[in-house]
Amino acid sequence: MLEKNDIEYEKAVLIGIVTREQSEEKLDEYLDELEFLTYTAGGEVMKRFTQKMDAPNPKTFVGTGKMEDVRAFVEEHEIGAAIFDDELSPAQQKNIERIL
């Protein structure tokens, strides 16, 4: 007889920005796809964080206030992964890892 196993998904948050080149609708499409990919990789998206900006912040991708919101949510809900809708520079990655 087969036993039913409870699957524990890694908790994740998605983070994206709306820019002049990327509309809110396009961002939603990208985040929907990222959410699906996260689920297929064994993760569960707990929340999406979005922000309207002219360009990504060179230090943390999103603004410092939004990054603080992300940090607080990650700590409160024991989130294991933060997934961004764009490639991060090495400096951004280092700064974000330090904050989170």
Side-chain angles (χ1 to χ4, degrees):
M1 179 174 199
L2 295 175
E3 292 182 32
K4 182 179 177 185
N5 293 331
D6 289 331
I7 299 173
E8 264 193 56
Y9 292 99
E10 181 176 9
K11 295 178 184 177
V13 294
L14 300 181
I15 303 164
I17 59 173
V18 176
T19 64
R20 289 178 289 214
E21 291 83 31
Q22 180 170 282
S23 68
E24 196 165 341
E25 293 79 25
K26 196 57 138 173
L27 175 62
D28 285 340
E29 284 180 37
Y30 291 148
L31 293 181
D32 288 344
E33 184 176 349
L34 276 176
E35 186 166 351
F36 177 74
L37 292 171
T38 300
Y39 177 74
T40 59
E44 178 183 11
V45 174
M46 305 302 292
K47 186 168 181 167
R48 294 178 177 194
F49 290 91
T50 61
Q51 186 173 30
K52 291 182 181 180
M53 304 177 75
D54 289 334
N57 182 315
K59 292 182 180 177
T60 57
F61 189 73
V62 293
T64 54
K66 183 62 72 176
M67 186 52 67
E68 179 57 30
D69 293 346
V70 172
R71 186 200 61 74
F73 187 86
V74 164
E75 285 183 4
E76 182 179 338
H77 295 91
E78 299 176 353
I79 303 297
I83 303 169
F84 290 77
D85 81 327
D86 205 349
E87 198 170 326
L88 300 175
S89 71
Q92 288 171 324
Q93 187 172 346
K94 182 180 175 185
N95 291 332
I96 292 166
E97 285 174 355
R98 191 181 76 249
I99 293 168
L100 299 181

